[in-house]
Structure formats: structure tokens, C-alpha cells
Amino acid sequence: MPISAARDQEPDIGARALSVLNHVFGLPGFRGAQEQIIRHVAEGGNCLVLMPTGGGKSMCYQLPSLLRDGCGVVVSPLIALMRDQVAGLVEAGVNAAVLNSTLSYEEANEVERRLLAGDLDLLYVAPERLLTPRCLNLLGQANIALFAIDEAHCVSQWGHDFRPEYIGLSALAERFPDVPRIALTATADAMTRKEIAERLSLTDAPQFVASFDRPNIRYEIVDKQNAVTQLKNVIAERHAGDAGVVYCLSRAKVEDVASALSDAGITALPYHAGLDAGVRARNQDRFLNEDGIVIVATIAFGMGIDKPDVRFVAHLDLPKSIEAYYQETGRAGRDGKPSTAWMAYGLSDIVQQRRMIDESTGSDAFKRVSIGKLDALVALAETVHCRRQRLLGYFGETRDTGSCGNCDNCLTPPKVRDGKVLAQKLLSCVYRTGQRFGAMHLIDVLVGRLTERVQQFNHDKLSVFGIGRELNEKQWRAVLRQLVAMGHLRADSEAFNALKLTDSARGVLKGETAVMLREQPEGARNRAVRGKSRRGELAPASGAHSAAANPALHAALRAWRSEVARERGVPAYVVLHDSTIDGIAAVRPGTLNELRGIAGIGDKKLEHYGDQLLTLVRTTDG
Ligand code: ADP
Ligand code: ZN
């Protein structure tokens, strides 16, 4: 019998919700606004939910679906996500199913039959499937508890994940006016939020906006030297044996980085659209199901990946916007344990992204918005203040505390110096050489290097030749990058990335505009390496294997979980979350009742695994 039909007559929705949370999901209490949202939806209200990744959005529609009559229909764009969520729900004893293109005709028929028979609590449907006349008719005949539109930002044409099939979802409001709609997303600046509300007819519905802070994620943005070597150091020093995602812009780079990491003894697998579908699926499955795999991917990877124990996300190329950066880094540490978001960034990243925007076929308005978004991201990369504060500020959240204590700038405040004279030297050099040269040549002139090119153009005869000997090449690169980021210089993509002065450069040259520069440490050291010497300070106490309590039991539980996951063909975390394993190892329960008290153990898990787990605890020493 579906859980929704089995509900008792208890009048208070809050009490019923809590009871389902305890018994079905094995969780002791609600998080943040969950309770408020669940109550609102269970009572038939529409709403828009904005919560960061890992905030617990799924519960906001899963639980009301169980509380209300009928089946909750979840629109979700990615097959992997649907599959894993359904696997997790079925493990918890919920009657959940999925309708998508992976099903055979017979399988799909069986799901449809169960829906009409009132035998389903939750049904996950891909948007393009949902909008077929056949499916809409089917839903018209069924008893629907609610529609949940997950990843709702996909409806936004300005967003970074626009999916044309999402546009059609506006039909739901007209066709099913009495069924509550809950739209959820982890990405929403004000503009996207407004667009979601308009397109899904939610302009009158309340918006529940959770704090977007992810306190367990440590943000680090370093100056790019040799990104792969820097990344290898980060992994070796702080994330050996951890699961991670590495993002690169191109397929070729994905392949190169994956093989470089493999050569360094790291289990790294590539993932991009150019791979054979079978290989891609296998790599994704290994990442999900095995421990400690690093996946190197283009941005196509990750949406709908629910893996809770990703310990680091690394960017070797600049994402397109803060939304994209936040969503991608947000895939780290869904389980709330310490995790790292690390990015290496340099001048070429800004130039490359600008070029991609310039060369795109979008309208002028689209390009303008894209450039604004890129500028905001570059400002985040350049800031000498708290990164978290910047990120949250971008999403409209203000916090009064100056320092978060968990980003690179807060942990190791960068030195800032008055860069007026340096900026003037560089900008004059650009001017005197005719605004026709790129970074390399400009720096050669500044430090007085007599290269062939310098001689060819007689640039050793200019007054700016050798006026910048006080900095080395690397330091000048950093100055240059910051001037581009501040908008005083612009790389002209039509002239081989020659650097040109912008209007604002005049103010700097005249000494009217102040320029504060982040000081680049001397020599070849970079901040990734500096992390090493300050290890205690910068390294989070993470590690997927940080078995604080009872390491042997911890290891035995993990081995047991892998075995069960393999047998059942589900990801390990669907069997038990890391935090549940930590809990069992710490508590060492001796009875079913004690086991029941651990977060993540609901009625069904207790019934299925209780005895096995107790035996494991009893027979394993500390
Ligand atoms: P989102 O979809 O917002 O990224 P999920 O719904 O996947 O997040 O939830 C993230 C994690 O938080 C999951 O592991 C989930 O089990 C856990 N979680 C959700 N709600 C609660 C709660 N009330 N108490 C404890 N853990 C929770
Ligand atoms: Zn900070």
C-alpha cells in the first residue's frame, strides 16, 4: 500500500510530517525552512524554493507527496539523478518509479498502470516525456498530489542551463490548476528567480529563500602557474584518496588532465560529450559507486549528480559566471563534511572567456549580460576580501561578519599595496608600443629584455624600456591580469589579443584613479604551494576516510556497504550515507533500538540491514 494511502487520521500536518521524516527517512528533525515549506505544500500551496545544493530540497517535495493523497510528480532533467533518487526512495520503502527513455515499452506500461491504480507515491518524469499528449492524458486520469519542478532555473533563458523543453512546463498551471506546484533550484540571482516565477505562473506564490551559504566548503582561488602540477599538489597534500571533480573547458584538456593525474597514481577518469556513450556511462558509474575516484570533466558533467561525498571540486578553467561557479563548486560536500572548492585562474582565462562571448552568435543584449556575469566572476577571483561574503552578496545575501574563517583570503589575508605607479608604468608601456602587443612582449619591454621582437620594433629605444625592473615577469603578469580585471585594459580578440587601453585607463594615467593591487609573492612560489608550508592552517580536516571513531569498524562498515551496493546495483550512498556510517562507528549500537537512533536509519533500513549491522558491530573490534 502506498504510504500516502496509509496515513492516519492525525489532524496536525506538522506532527504527521515529523513522523514520516523519522520513520521513512530515519532523520530526527527538519533543516532550516524545510518544515515551513513542507507544511505549505502539503496544504496545497504553490511555491518557489531557493536552497543551495545539499540544502535538502528533495525532502520539500518528497515528504508532501507522502502526506497528500495521490502521487507526487517530479520533473527532473537528468536520468542519473532520477535513477538514484528513486533507488534511494525504494530503499526507504517508498513506492517510487521513473518514466523516461531508458524504460522499455513494457516497463513504461507497468509504471503507468501503477500510477492509475493509485499505487505510487512518487513518479519522476523527464520534461520532454511529461509534455507529450500521451503523458498529459495519463496524468489527467491519475490522482496527482503535486508537481515538483526540480532544477527550475533550466526554464530561464538568461540562465546558464537553459533547456528548451522546460519552457513547455508553463502548461502545467493551465492544465492542472488545482494541483500544487513547487519549483526548486540552487541557482537563482534576482533575474533568474523572476523569470522562473513568471514562466511557471508562480508570481503570486511565496518564495522560500534559504541561506546560500555552504559553510563546510573552503573556497580557494589561486594564481595559475602550471595548473595540473598545482592540482596534483592539492590532491597529494589534502585530498589523497578522496572523490573529486575537476572541471576543464575543452574535451582535449579533459583527456590530458585525466591522463596526467593517472600518471601521478590518482584514479582519474575522463567525462565529456565526445566519449563513447558506453565509456562515459561506465566512468560516471564508477565515480558514483566506487570510493575515491576523481572525474575530470567538461561542465556537462554534474547536474543531477547526487553523490554526497565529493570532497573537492577543482576548476582548471574559469566558469562562465558566479552562478555556474557556485553550482559546480556546490557539488562538493553535500554531506556537510569539510570540502574544498579550488580554482586556478590567470589572464588567459579572462581573455578566452571574453573571446567566446564576442564570437558567440547571441544578441547584443545576451552578450552584455554575459560580459557582466564574467566581470562579476573575475571580481570574485581578484578580491582580497572574504570570498564567501562576495559570493553570498552576489545572491543578495548580506552578512555582518567580515571574515568567514574558511576561505583562502580569510585564512591567509593577501597583502595589498598601492599599485598606482606600477599601473601607470604598464599602461604607458601599452600606449607607447602602440596598443598592438600582447602580455609577453609588454613585459619584455618593461623588464628591459632585449628580445628579437623588441629590437625589431625598436622598443628598446622607448622611454618605457626597462622601467619595470623592480618586478619579475610573474609579478608583472599578475599586475596585468588585475588591470584587465579592473577594466583598465582590454584584450582585443580581433587583433591577436593585443592589449588596449580602455576609457578608464586615462584616470589611472593621470593619477586620478586609485589602484590597489594584490601583492604577488616573490619567486616561483604560489599559493597552492604555500598551502603546504602552512599545512595545519590551510588543510581542512577532511578525507573521506577520516574515521575518527573506531577505524576498524569504520572500514568494515564501508566494505559491507560496497558489497551490498554491488549486489543490489545501486550507489553505495543509497545503501548508507557516510554520515550514517560515521554514526554507527561512533555509537557502536548493541540493539536495534540504539541503531534506530542513528540519523539515516529509517524503518525499512532497520528491517533490511539491522541484524547484519549489529552483527558487524559485535564482531569487529574498535
Ligand atoms: P539538494 O537537492 O538541495 O541538493 P538533497 O535533497 O539531495 O539536497 O539533500 C542533501 C542531503 O541532506 C541528503 O544527503 C539528505 O539526506 C540530507 N538531508 C535532507 N534533509 C535532511 C534533514 N532534515 N536532516 C538531515 N539530513 C537531511
Ligand atoms: Zn572568507
Side-chain angles (χ1 to χ4, degrees):
M1 184 167 35
I3 291 170
S4 50
R7 67 205 170 108
D8 46 30
Q9 294 308 305
E10 210 172 338
D12 178 35
I13 283 202
R16 277 172 47 213
L18 189 60
S19 164
V20 174
L21 186 75
N22 297 156
H23 287 281
V24 178
F25 297 98
L27 296 172
F30 291 107
R31 256 194 209 159
Q34 272 179 340
E35 184 173 8
Q36 219 187 337
I37 298 165
I38 289 166
R39 187 187 283 269
H40 176 79
V41 177
E43 284 172 346
N46 298 326
C47 64
L48 175 56
V49 171
L50 298 104
M51 253 187 214
T53 311
K57 284 187 287 303
S58 325
M59 198 62 77
C60 298
Y61 55 81
Q62 289 173 350
L63 220 154
S65 298
L66 299 182
L67 293 176
R68 286 175 64 80
D69 267 337
C71 175
V73 175
V74 185
V75 185
S76 172
L78 271 200
I79 288 174
L81 173 101
M82 296 196 235
R83 188 191 58 199
D84 293 344
Q85 283 222 349
V86 167
L89 287 163
V90 170
E91 275 285 304
V94 176
N95 290 311
V98 50
L99 260 187
N100 63 32
S101 54
T102 64
L103 299 191
S104 69
Y105 182 74
E106 288 75 23
E107 287 168 330
N109 264 346
E110 172 59 11
V111 171
E112 292 179 9
R113 189 197 60 72
R114 290 178 68 195
L115 174 68
L116 293 177
D119 193 25
L120 284 179
D121 295 310
L122 273 156
L123 177 65
Y124 285 71
V125 192
E128 60 278 10
R129 177 108 182 191
L130 177 83
L131 295 167
T132 59
R134 180 188 166 91
C135 194
L136 288 171
N137 271 334
L138 177 79
L139 296 179
Q141 296 164 46
N143 189 6
I144 306 296
L146 57 88
F147 286 108
I149 297 121
D150 206 2
E151 311 285 0
H153 60 279
C154 292
V155 82
S156 161
Q157 276 168 311
W158 296 111
H160 56 95
D161 259 336
F162 174 57
R163 291 178 173 241
E165 62 273 19
Y166 258 65
I167 290 284
L169 294 175
S170 57
L172 291 179
E174 294 149 33
R175 183 125 183 186
F176 303 94
D178 301 327
V179 179
R181 293 184 308 286
I182 167 172
L184 311 100
T185 177
T187 340
D189 54 323
M191 187 159 63
T192 314
R193 195 186 303 180
K194 185 160 169 280
E195 210 183 338
I196 296 173
E198 280 164 7
R199 292 202 185 271
L200 299 176
S201 306
L202 292 171
T203 42
D204 295 332
Q207 302 191 353
F208 296 95
V209 185
S211 167
F212 267 61
D213 190 16
R214 300 287 309 280
N216 61 314
I217 297 183
R218 176 167 301 177
Y219 298 100
E220 293 173 41
I221 302 180
V222 307
D223 191 25
K224 193 189 272 188
Q225 311 291 335
N226 178 338
V228 179
T229 306
Q230 289 171 293
L231 174 63
K232 281 196 279 197
N233 288 339
V234 170
I235 295 178
E237 287 162 18
R238 294 188 264 147
H239 286 293
D242 282 349
V245 182
V246 178
Y247 284 112
C248 306
L249 216 49
S250 72
R251 297 173 186 184
K253 188 157 169 192
V254 163
E255 295 285 349
D256 288 351
V257 173
S259 66
L261 294 181
S262 298
D263 290 347
I266 297 160
T267 318
L269 304 172
Y271 186 101
H272 58 73
L275 283 175
D276 171 71
V279 175
R280 208 166 61 215
R282 201 160 51 243
N283 288 353
Q284 173 167 321
D285 281 349
R286 282 192 64 192
F287 174 70
L288 290 176
N289 297 339
E290 293 176 28
D291 278 338
I293 304 257
V294 175
I295 197 122
V296 186
T298 51
I299 48 165
F301 180 81
M303 197 163 133
I305 296 299
D306 247 350
K307 190 176 168 64
D309 54 357
V310 175
R311 291 275 69 88
F312 69 91
V313 169
H315 281 94
L316 298 190
D317 291 308
L318 200 62
K320 283 189 175 43
S321 62
I322 288 188
E323 288 96 319
Y325 171 78
Y326 206 62
Q327 185 157 57
E328 284 152 22
T329 56
R331 292 176 183 136
R334 276 173 182 252
D335 55 9
K337 297 168 93 181
S339 309
T340 305
W342 182 89
M343 177 160 83
Y345 136 98
L347 174 63
S348 59
D349 285 295
I350 314 177
V351 173
Q352 183 179 33
Q353 289 283 1
R354 274 299 285 251
R355 189 169 55 228
M356 282 166 59
I357 296 170
D358 286 343
E359 290 171 357
S360 80
T361 52
S363 65
D364 282 352
F366 182 82
K367 286 183 183 175
R368 229 175 11 255
V369 170
S370 303
I371 286 171
K373 291 192 169 196
L374 176 62
D375 287 347
L377 182 62
V378 168
L380 169 75
E382 293 293 350
T383 185
V384 292
H385 304 295
C386 176
R387 308 236 192 241
R388 190 178 310 275
Q389 202 166 30
R390 261 250 174 204
L391 278 167
L392 294 175
Y394 184 81
F395 294 111
E397 221 177 287
T398 45
R399 10 168 72 210
D400 18 351
T401 53
S403 156
C404 77
N406 199 23
C407 75
D408 51 0
N409 285 349
C410 285
L411 288 165
T412 318
K415 285 206 191 87
V416 184
R417 65 172 157 198
D418 184 346
K420 191 195 271 181
V421 175
L422 292 175
Q424 285 172 337
K425 286 182 176 179
L426 204 154
L427 296 177
S428 322
C429 181
V430 171
Y431 183 72
R432 300 271 169 218
T433 53
Q435 311 194 54
R436 291 189 292 132
F437 295 89
M440 185 109 80
H441 182 74
L442 291 169
I443 294 172
D444 285 340
V445 174
L446 280 168
V447 301
R449 204 178 279 141
L450 214 51
T451 65
E452 249 176 59
R453 220 165 139 78
V454 166
Q455 286 169 310
Q456 179 191 346
F457 290 99
N458 282 327
H459 285 167
D460 50 334
K461 306 289 183 307
L462 296 177
S463 59
V464 289
F465 184 73
I467 54 163
R469 290 200 170 91
E470 69 269 43
L471 297 189
N472 64 26
E473 177 181 336
K474 215 186 80 178
Q475 292 168 318
W476 272 120
R477 265 190 184 277
V479 174
L480 214 157
R481 189 194 69 226
Q482 292 177 74
L483 292 178
V484 172
M486 288 169 193
H488 302 314
L489 277 176
R490 187 172 57 79
D492 185 345
S493 51
E494 268 154 38
F496 305 101
N497 295 325
L499 289 157
K500 305 204 156 157
L501 303 180
T502 65
D503 291 345
S504 71
R506 189 190 319 237
V508 179
L509 282 167
K510 285 208 217 134
E512 289 162 359
T513 309
V515 178
M516 296 308 287
L517 292 175
R518 176 196 273 270
E519 202 159 341
Q520 207 59 23
E522 299 234 7
R525 285 148 65 88
N526 62 57
R527 295 204 289 139
V529 175
R530 232 165 54 183
K532 187 179 184 179
S533 54
R534 295 173 172 252
R535 195 172 175 143
E537 198 181 316
L538 256 177
S542 106
H545 315 297
S546 59
N550 299 320
L553 178 54
H554 207 271
L557 287 164
R558 291 178 77 92
W560 172 87
R561 176 177 72 171
S562 300
E563 189 56 38
V564 174
R566 211 172 7 253
E567 266 170 30
R568 303 180 48 90
V570 295
Y573 66 83
V574 164
V575 179
L576 289 184
H577 275 194
D578 280 0
S579 55
T580 309
I581 287 197
D582 292 351
I584 298 174
V587 173
R588 298 194 67 103
T591 64
L592 285 175
N593 215 19
E594 281 169 28
L595 184 60
R596 181 71 184 76
I598 290 162
I601 303 281
D603 292 353
K604 274 286 179 279
K605 293 215 163 148
L606 197 68
E607 186 186 321
H608 284 153
Y609 305 131
D611 292 334
Q612 292 178 51
L613 288 170
L614 290 182
T615 308
L616 208 61
V617 172
R618 211 169 32 245
T619 53
T620 313
D621 297 330

